[in-house]
């Protein structure tokens, strides 16, 4: 049963991460403000979709997880993993396209089961699908389109179930210590332990980074003048800023605010910002 009480409490805790502003949180999770308010006030009888829950978990800054939300909303039981739920959602995203190709429901469900129940060492999915489609529907324009769709689904599911394809760890930096909340799909760096991703917790660094934009960090402790870095201040909170040295004083420059001076002994460099994913583009630092 959908636990409206617990779901409301979780949303209230998440909202505190957004200065108790319902509009900010609604924008972050791609939900209408009025709908979000109804969930907070326990006036919605049915839970949001798993896709929305995934966004809420990602925007929660470590307050909750996707698995917890799926449990609270009665989507997930002890026999179903969150990976399976995500795989089913991927299949559902393409269901309308497949239905247009006149594939009967029994065959469609059989194909989805093959895709959803694969494991990370199963390399034969493509051949299984190809053989099944050709045997039951022949080779024609529709089956070529179908196979392309299923190949796309298969790759997306493999990105979920294969650890090496999950990308680099994504952290919330709203609290100390950092809390890992997900993975950021930057696969070219996924086998290099020197890269992490974090969610920006303010708009101080606009236009480079806004609230909840993603910063990719190359972790090292070097303090180099002019770098935009992730830092730990007073061993209590994290921030992203540009370092500008002035004698024995370290100034942290926020492009959307002002200089703030901190003594060098009060900060620890976690790493340099090398890539940003903001609402307008995925670009290298300092790009157009």
């Amino acid at each position: 049963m959908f636990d409206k009480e617990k779901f409301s409490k979780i949303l209230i805790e998440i909202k505190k991460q957004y200065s108790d502003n319902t509009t900010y949180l609604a924008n972050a999770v791609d939900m209408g403000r009025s709908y979000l308010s109804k969930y907070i006030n326990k006036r919605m009888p049915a839970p949001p979709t798993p896709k929305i829950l995934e966004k809420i978990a990602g925007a929660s800054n470590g307050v909750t997880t996707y698995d917890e939300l799926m449990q609270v909303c009665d989507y997930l039981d002890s026999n179903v993993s969150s990976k399976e739920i995500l795989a089913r959602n991927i299949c559902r995203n393409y269901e309308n396209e497949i239905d247009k190709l006149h594939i009967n429901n029994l065959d469609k469900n059989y194909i989805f089961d093959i895709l959803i129940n694969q494991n990370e060492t199963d390399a034969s999915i493509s051949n299984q699908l190809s053989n099944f489609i050709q045997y039951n529907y022949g080779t024609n324009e529709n089956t070529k389109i179908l196979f392309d769709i299923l190949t796309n689904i298969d790759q997306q599911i493999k990105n979920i179930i294969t650890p090496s394809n999950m990308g680099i760890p994504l952290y919330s930096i709203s609290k100390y210590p950092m809390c890992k909340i997900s993975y950021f799909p930057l696969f070219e760096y996924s086998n290099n332990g020197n890269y992490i991703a974090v969610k920006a917790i303010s708009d101080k660094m606009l236009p480079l980074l806004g609230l909840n934009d993603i910063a990719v960090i190359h972790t090292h402790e070097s303090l180099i003048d002019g770098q935009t870095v992730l830092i730990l201040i007073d061993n209590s909170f994290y921030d992203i800023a540009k370092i500008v040295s002035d004698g024995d004083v370290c100034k942290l420059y926020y492009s959307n605010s002002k200089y703030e001076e901190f003594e060098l002994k009060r900060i620890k460099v976690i790493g340099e910002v090398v890539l940003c994913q903001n609402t307008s583009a995925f670009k290298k630092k300092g790009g157009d």
Side-chain angles (χ1 to χ4, degrees), residues 123-192:
S124 64
I125 296 295
S126 181
N127 287 336
Q128 289 183 55
L129 295 175
S130 177
N131 291 337
F132 180 80
I133 293 168
Q134 287 186 23
Y135 181 81
N136 290 280
Y137 295 93
T139 301
N140 52 58
E141 191 61 34
N142 275 2
T143 55
K144 289 178 182 177
I145 294 171
L146 175 62
F147 187 72
D148 286 343
I149 292 172
L150 298 180
T151 300
N152 192 6
I153 293 174
D154 181 43
Q155 186 57 59
Q156 290 184 48
I157 291 176
K158 279 184 168 58
N159 288 342
I160 293 172
I161 67 172
T162 309
S164 62
N165 283 342
M166 293 177 77
I168 59 176
L170 174 63
Y171 290 89
S172 163
I173 59 170
S174 63
K175 299 176 182 178
Y176 175 76
M178 287 191 293
C179 174
K180 187 167 78 171
I181 55 175
S182 184
Y183 285 88
F184 183 65
L186 196 66
F187 305 125
E188 59 266 40
Y189 296 131
S190 60
N191 293 320
N192 188 325

Side-chain angles (χ1 to χ4, degrees), residues 225-281:
D225 195 21
Q227 284 184 328
T228 299
V229 291
L230 171 66
I231 51 176
L232 177 62
I233 300 174
D234 286 339
N235 208 37
S236 60
F237 69 96
Y238 295 92
D239 212 346
I240 294 174
K242 178 175 284 188
I243 291 182
V244 180
S245 60
D246 184 6
D248 59 352
V249 175
C250 177
K251 293 181 178 181
L252 302 180
Y253 175 70
Y254 301 105
S255 55
N256 195 33
S257 184
K258 60 183 179 180
Y259 284 99
E260 293 186 14
E261 294 184 1
F262 292 96
E263 297 177 8
L264 288 173
K265 65 183 180 182
R266 291 178 55 194
I267 72 169
K268 177 184 178 182
V269 175
I270 306 300
E272 179 188 7
V273 177
V274 293
L275 290 171
C276 299
Q277 185 195 50
N278 56 33
T279 53
S280 62

Side-chain angles (χ1 to χ4, degrees), residues 73-140:
C73 293
D74 201 31
Y75 287 111
L76 189 63
D77 61 37
S78 59
N79 297 315
V80 183
S81 69
S82 59
K83 289 180 180 179
E84 181 176 334
I85 295 291
L86 288 171
R88 290 191 182 280
N89 288 338
I90 290 170
C91 289
R92 289 193 187 105
N93 287 340
Y94 291 88
E95 196 162 5
N96 288 338
E97 291 183 46
I98 293 174
D99 287 343
K100 292 176 183 178
L101 300 173
H102 308 295
I103 306 301
N104 73 57
N105 285 331
L106 285 176
D107 288 343
K108 180 180 66 179
N109 291 334
Y110 175 76
I111 289 169
F112 282 173
D113 283 343
I114 290 175
L115 289 163
I116 291 165
N117 295 317
Q118 65 177 291
N119 59 54
E120 58 194 66
T121 61
D122 195 342
S124 64
I125 296 295
S126 181
N127 287 336
Q128 289 183 55
L129 295 175
S130 177
N131 291 337
F132 180 80
I133 293 168
Q134 287 186 23
Y135 181 81
N136 290 280
Y137 295 93
T139 301
N140 52 58

